Amino acid sequence: MRLKKSTDYALRILIYLCQQPEGFTTVAEAASYHDISRNHALKLVNAMAAEGIITTQRGKSGGIMLNTPPSQIRLGNIIQALEDNSLLSCCHSNSGCRYMAHCKLESVLNSAQQHLNDYLNRFTLADLIVSASPAQTSTNRPPAESPMQSLSD
């Protein structure tokens, strides 16, 4: 199980936006900071804007910024919006699998996916920022557990 590279890059852009002062940041700045091609970053920004995660504005004083405070943007919701299919999947209706009619693997994986989404939604973008002030972090984080440690387990 692995996030798509584009989802990883999108998360990096979002974290970058969390660390910027109020106002718009250019796509070029965010892309350059993470060594992502500007064209690829533009595609990711358009996808995130379509999902309502960020706001974009054209023009001289335009750019990109988060739609809501980082403490209100749930990690699981971001990943769900950016991944075009389940991170855990095995079955395809036209795969020709001989067990398809009686197999329970798909329901087990769907349940695991739901548990994963629920867990990831316990964290916000603010929780991913090491230098975030206490006022910016989520109060729903599990006690005595580092978010980054939990995600690497």
Side-chain angles (χ1 to χ4, degrees):
M1 174 175 72
R2 172 179 257 166
L3 291 178
K4 293 186 301 185
K5 191 174 234 179
S6 60
T7 302
D8 177 39
Y9 286 162
L11 288 169
R12 292 177 194 203
I13 291 170
L14 291 172
I15 291 169
Y16 180 83
L17 292 177
C18 290
Q19 296 174 325
Q20 301 310 303
E22 297 281 326
F24 288 99
T25 300
T26 68
V27 175
E29 288 172 20
S32 174
Y33 185 79
H34 289 293
D35 295 322
I36 303 169
S37 79
R38 185 178 176 278
N39 287 340
H40 192 61
L42 279 171
K43 289 178 187 175
L44 298 173
V45 162
N46 287 333
M48 290 187 287
E51 292 293 336
I53 300 168
I54 62 171
T55 298
T56 62
Q57 181 174 312
R58 291 180 172 228
K60 185 178 179 183
S61 61
I64 58 176
M65 68 180 199
L66 297 174
N67 259 349
T68 57
S71 62
Q72 296 177 13
I73 302 173
R74 300 271 164 206
L75 181 59
N77 292 342
I78 296 167
I79 292 171
Q80 222 172 357
L82 298 174
E83 292 285 328
D84 56 2
N85 58 8
S86 173
L87 291 174
L88 300 173
S89 62
C90 70
C91 305
H92 306 286
S93 60
N94 58 358
S95 69
C97 178
R98 295 175 190 258
Y99 302 110
M100 196 100 145
H102 308 289
C103 184
K104 295 183 181 181
L105 181 59
E106 183 176 19
S107 67
V108 169
L109 292 177
N110 287 341
S111 178
Q113 180 67 54
Q114 185 58 53
H115 287 290
L116 176 61
N117 290 343
D118 292 345
Y119 180 78
L120 291 174
N121 274 328
R122 292 168 54 185
F123 302 96
T124 67
L125 278 180
D127 293 322
L128 303 180
I129 308 303
V130 174
S131 62
S133 70
Q136 292 175 309
T137 59
S138 169
T139 58
N140 293 331
R141 182 177 38 186
E145 182 178 302
S146 165
M148 296 313 289
Q149 179 186 6
S150 298
L151 293 175
S152 65
D153 290 342

